[in-house]
Amino acid sequence: MKLVLTGAAGRLGSHLREPLSKMCDELVSTDIVDNIGTLYEGERYEKADLASLDDMMRVLEGADQVVHFGAIGDEAPFDQILGPNIIGAYNVWEAAYQHDLRRVVYASSIHAVGMHAKTDFIGTDAPHRPDTFYGLAKCFAEDLASMYWDKRGIESVCMRILSCAQVNNARALGSWLSYDDLIHLVKQSINTPTTGFAVVYGVSNNDRAPVDNANVSFLGYRPKDNAEQFAEKVLADEPEQDLDDIAHHCQGGPFASVELGNSGVATMNIVQDAKKI
Ligand SMILES: NC(=O)c1ccc[n+]([C@@H]2O[C@H](COP(=O)([O-])OP(=O)(O)OC[C@H]3O[C@@H](n4cnc5c(N)ncnc54)[C@H](O)[C@@H]3O)[C@@H](O)[C@H]2O)c1
């Protein structure tokens, strides 16, 4: 099996490279940076721009599946999102179609449905309700995935990741996706024999998880970690959440209240714990 990983230089990509390299004969890791340092056995690096169809055609050639994690990972002005996140999504699915790949495993985001109330405990069939241009681009990619399945038979698993980062705030007690559970989810998304077009929430087995994956039990995603282990410390450091505050009320957290085009990540104190070889 040959796999392609986009966004390989990113934080999540850094945690996926080794497990992906072990589950295939050849892993092509790709990103826009010049290099990603030491490679794992069976891994090759190719610099490529998501916004270039020629580049995506080059890196996807001969692959069975693509694990698509490359993107601007934050809210930004529309013209910055457009190339990597929107045109980039088209390029990945179109190159996958032209090279006859079986499936796209896609890092979508909770921000595709970020304006839904957390108390609604939404399922994977909740209508799109983006909170930012970033979330809107995830909606576009999910609809593209749906269309490429219906019209061209390319399977997709759109993983709406909630927050895959260290738990250092009260929202993350519900939204946390541990790296181990991320890896398990990506493996299930690749290995499940038939997925068609599927949407799944990327969230650990948190007592306070605000979303429902009941519709996609066929993926065999059974997360093991639970953010409740961090609750005592986090809640001691953070005053009670005011549910009238849109950033606490909505799935998207700070992205739900930020001005369009302004960074949401800047307010989130994310620990940059990329995996090093
Ligand atoms: N981290 C999270 O909690 C989270 C939550 C929801 C969704 N996601 C999604 O998961 C994916 C990875 O997130 P991350 O936290 O690792 O982000 P990241 O910013 O660390 O990684 C994204 C990578 O994409 C690359 N990239 C950007 N523009 C590119 C271009 N034009 N061509 C090629 N590569 C380009 C960047 O160089 C970077 O290495 C993203 O799609 C993000 O939207 C992440």
Side-chain angles (χ1 to χ4, degrees):
M1 177 163 66
K2 177 173 172 180
L3 293 175
V4 176
L5 171 66
T6 72
R11 184 165 56 83
L12 271 46
S14 77
H15 289 269
L16 289 172
R17 287 172 47 209
E18 184 174 22
L20 287 178
S21 72
K22 287 187 171 147
M23 64 187 291
C24 62
D25 305 305
E26 185 183 0
L27 174 65
V28 177
S29 289
T30 178
D31 202 291
I32 202 161
V33 302
D34 286 338
N35 72 75
I36 55 171
T38 311
L39 298 172
Y40 294 98
E41 199 180 323
E43 182 184 32
R44 175 160 68 79
Y45 180 70
E46 294 243 9
K47 178 180 176 175
D49 184 353
L50 288 162
S52 158
L53 180 59
D54 286 349
D55 283 9
M56 289 305 108
M57 286 294 291
R58 172 169 51 82
V59 294
L60 264 59
E61 188 171 7
D64 296 294
Q65 298 192 32
V66 53
V67 180
H68 178 30
F69 272 65
I72 302 295
D74 190 7
E75 172 61 342
F78 182 78
D79 59 342
Q80 292 176 31
I81 295 284
L82 182 62
N85 295 22
I86 296 181
I87 295 171
Y90 167 76
N91 291 340
V92 167
W93 266 272
E94 179 61 20
Y97 167 65
Q98 291 197 27
H99 285 310
D100 206 19
L101 272 69
R102 176 186 179 79
R103 186 175 300 160
V104 181
V105 174
Y106 175 53
S108 185
S109 167
I110 190 66
H111 300 295
V113 287
M115 295 310 295
H116 284 283
K118 287 201 276 193
T119 46
D120 285 349
F121 192 56
I122 52 173
T124 56
D125 54 357
H128 283 159
R129 205 166 165 188
D131 52 25
T132 44
F133 293 128
Y134 166 79
L136 183 67
K138 298 294 186 189
C139 295
F140 172 80
E142 288 191 2
D143 282 350
L144 190 79
S146 166
M147 188 180 75
Y148 269 72
W149 167 241
D150 285 335
K151 302 290 289 270
R152 293 180 156 179
I154 305 293
E155 293 189 321
S156 293
V157 180
C158 297
M159 304 172 298
R160 284 184 192 155
I161 298 167
L162 277 74
S163 35
C164 190
Q166 288 183 22
V167 180
N168 54 13
N169 60 79
R171 173 176 177 261
L173 295 174
S175 63
W176 185 48
L177 173 66
S178 71
Y179 290 126
D180 284 350
D181 286 336
L182 168 72
I183 291 163
H184 166 57
L185 175 57
V186 170
K187 282 185 176 171
Q188 290 304 121
S189 300
I190 292 169
N191 286 334
T192 297
T194 304
T195 63
F197 164 72
V199 172
V200 57
Y201 289 106
V203 67
S204 281
N205 187 32
N206 307 324
D207 291 359
R208 304 176 200 226
V211 290
D212 180 8
N213 268 330
N215 281 344
V216 279
S217 57
F218 68 90
L219 281 175
Y221 173 55
R222 306 287 181 263
K224 292 196 170 60
D225 289 316
N226 187 336
E228 211 53 28
Q229 62 188 292
F230 307 111
E232 202 177 320
K233 178 171 186 336
V234 165
L235 295 176
D237 292 349
E238 188 168 321
E240 194 128 318
Q241 294 200 332
D242 172 8
L243 283 183
D244 288 336
D245 179 342
I246 214 164
H248 294 313
H249 179 71
C250 291
Q251 295 281 356
F255 279 55
S257 60
V258 80
E259 278 295 320
L260 287 177
N262 286 358
S263 170
V265 166
T267 64
M268 291 173 77
N269 192 24
I270 291 174
V271 178
Q272 291 302 328
D273 56 354
K275 182 173 169 180
K276 297 195 173 61
I277 297 189

